[in-house]
Every structure is written in C-alpha cells, then in structure tokens.
Amino acid sequence: VLLNATTRRDEQGNVIGVVGIGQDITGRLAQEREYTRLIDTANAPIFGVDTLGRVNVWNKCAMRLIGYSTEEVMGHSLVQEFITNDYQASVQAVLDLALQGSETENFEFPLITKAEAHIEVLLNATTRRDEQGNIIGVVGIGQDITARLAQEREYS
C-alpha cells in the first residue's frame, strides 16, 4: 500500500488530526519486477543512465559483453569511464539529446571492455520518464556488431 498523509488543521491553523489516503500498488510492483526481469535477461546489452550520466541500469548481457559487474559500474560515468576518448563527445551528445526527449537510433560507437578490448556497439538511446512524464534518464539498448564490421572490412 502506498500511503499519502497530510495534516488536518482547524480555522486557526492548529493541527487537529491527519488525513491519509491509501492506494493498492500490488499490481504496479509486480509490473516493475517483471520489467526488471525482462531487462536483466534480455539477449542484448541494456544500460541506463540518470540525468547526470551515471549508470543506473546494467543487465546481464552488458555484464558478459563488457566484463564489468553491476557493482563495478553503478553510479559511474558511462561516457568518462567506458567510452573511448575519440567517441566521448558524440556519445555524450546522443545522451544529451535523449535527455531533451529526442531519441537516437542505430548509433555506432566503441565500448572499452574490462580487458581493455574495444567492441563496436550499435545503440538505440531512449528517453526514460517517471510516472509524471518527467525525464529521469536514458536507457540504451545495444547490439554487438564487432564481428559484422570485421567481416565487412574483410570483404571490402
């Protein structure tokens, strides 16, 4: 139950009680757990950042692909710590656009793995909003395209 409470006052402004309104949020909590499970088990790297660019979502596929555990990335700057120097400005621009409500599809950039290898990622960056519609961050859904790009270079 979600409870909202406010003081009740008389004509002189003295507190004479409390008014509480309860709301059953069981369904919403179940939806949130399902959403979290879907993100965590997706077969694509999914990450999220808050409005300051700090990682706040990191699924299992991202963990396997990049090599960093959730604990190692949470709260860290995605751009400053996990993006190659030559792409930091362009990735930051994509995140900034999404934080303004303008989403980006099929953006290619390299990520630095824990083993310091570079992998190529194709990214869709989507604005994240709270229940009131306020922008609270960005969620990125990626695809490892390293092998595909290597094959294209081999045949061209």
Side-chain angles (χ1 to χ4, degrees), residues 9-10 22 29-30 75 81 98-99 116-117 127 150-152 154 156:
R9 299 179 182 271
D10 64 16
L29 292 176
E81 297 183 44
L99 288 169
E116 297 190 19
T127 305
Q151 190 176 37
E152 287 174 3
E154 182 181 319
S156 59

Side-chain angles (χ1 to χ4, degrees), residues 121-140:
V121 174
L122 184 66
L123 176 75
N124 290 337
T126 304
T127 305
R128 260 182 106 185
R129 297 178 185 271
D130 64 15
E131 292 173 357
Q132 290 75 41
N134 301 310
I135 295 173
I136 59 170
V138 178
V139 65

Side-chain angles (χ1 to χ4, degrees), residues 44-45 58-68 111-114 119-121 142-146:
W58 193 257
N59 77 343
K60 288 179 183 176
C61 187
M63 195 179 343
R64 284 190 306 273
L65 186 65
I66 312 302
Y68 290 99
L111 270 174
I112 304 168
T113 69
K114 188 172 184 175
I119 60 167
E120 296 292 327
V121 174
Q143 178 182 358
D144 180 3
I145 58 171
T146 308

Side-chain angles (χ1 to χ4, degrees), residues 3 8 18 62 109 123 127:
L3 180 65
R8 193 167 160 215
V18 175
F109 69 98
L123 176 75
T127 305

